[in-house]
Amino acid sequence: MPKINQFPGAYIAENQDRFVDEMKQLLAIPSVSTLPDHAADCIACATFVANLLVSAGFQNVSELPTKGMPVVYGDLITDPKLPTVLIYGHYDVQPADPLDLWETPPFRPTIRDGHIYARGASDDKGQILAHIKAVEAFVKSGEPLPVNVKIIIEGEEEISSPSFSDFLAQNRERLQADVCLVSDTPMLSADQPSLCTSLRGIVYFEIKLIGASTDLHSGQNGGPAPNPIQGLAQLINQLKNEQNHVTIPGFYDDVLPIPPQTRSSIEALPVNAQTFATQIGAQGLTGESGFHVLEQLWYRPTLDCNGIWGGFTGIGSKTVIPSEASAKISMRLVRNQDPQKIATAFRSYIQANVPPAFKLEIKEFHSGAPVGVDADHPAVKAGLAAVTKAFHKQAILQGEGGSIPIIKLLESELNIPTILMGFNLPNDAIHAPNERFSLERFLNGIAASVYFMQFLSQSELAE
Ligand SMILES: [Zn+2]
């Protein structure tokens, strides 16, 4: 906890019981966006959140309509010359099933061992409430809000935000800001506060090799007949070398080296190849040689075969040479890589390397661009200092190996960087039974949000 005789510690300490009561009321609303039966609950939840914004002191609070669920908006503009923070969160939640695995009902928020247990506690109602309470702390303590704040809380994140890109495009002017702040991911661990500044992107393909025009008897044809399973295996094998580097020409051309301080903070963590192998239950790893396991996960692109099939896979034996074999292959991309460029490079490499006896079919699925902010961006520095101060330990920068599509949308539609300041932990069971959020981390999260606004107002963004 921050010092209770100071701001914001005193305000948080005096009001924490009420904050927790309000969180309980928010969590009791079953705003499950994927279930049509809960549409009215989602709308009721939007209204409840709007009321929270009003009582926190936000202005221009409204439930902005979309094709789907409304987006709750509020702002507090103190001085147009100050930096503006756009806070994003969502009020919808995942379904609670399987219900019998919950120790207490998912929509009857319960406190035990310092945590509040309920669907949505960490993802994302508890985390977004921390930011609302941070703004309230300024307003109600009479402390001048040192930045301008805008907040948007959507109701369709758990169903892939189908209305959100139109919403952003229609509200570009209103949402103008210097930086977007999102708390919808976890911190690295209980004793290692962190700030996430990058997410990997993806490109995804299916390839099929065709040999003979039909399946063949392997006795009558085996030897000369082309076997597409073996052809495919050769092709996949060529995609990485013995050092596990991807061999597609140009694959690494646009990858930026990580700053030395990011590398040393990674190397200081109690995570290495051995601990990671143990964590995933593998007897060894196959990452790119020469890179720390966390650098491989967060800051290096990679390629994986996600599925492979062909021929006979039933019980017993069947003497067949299949006519075709297929595989699904995806690549995770890092900041500064262009999915289209990588897709083109992959396609040409596969076409150039198909063994001559086979016909190739290639299909491209979805792709998503990577996102990221420079480590020396003023908002990143402010975020790191804020998390460090609120959680009483030097925070580190981290990346995230997967992608979160709304973050890319925020960046591309509004043209502002996003930082991910998660307050919960990886074992808080989001999307699972017994989801929880630590009350101490909630209160520290309020302080972190306050400090972020203070540090941001002292950064180069304020000039
Ligand atoms: Zn979420």
Side-chain angles (χ1 to χ4, degrees), residues 88-90 92 122-125 127 157-158 183-185 430-431:
Y88 164 90
H90 61 93
D92 64 323
S122 273
D123 181 17
D124 184 38
K125 290 172 172 174
Q127 300 214 63
E157 197 274 345
E158 301 293 3
S183 295
D184 197 16
T185 50
I430 67 160
H431 296 201

Side-chain angles (χ1 to χ4, degrees), residues 350-363:
I350 292 289
Q351 279 160 349
N353 287 281
V354 177
F358 301 98
K359 194 174 129 208
L360 169 73
E361 284 178 11
I362 188 161
K363 209 192 285 182

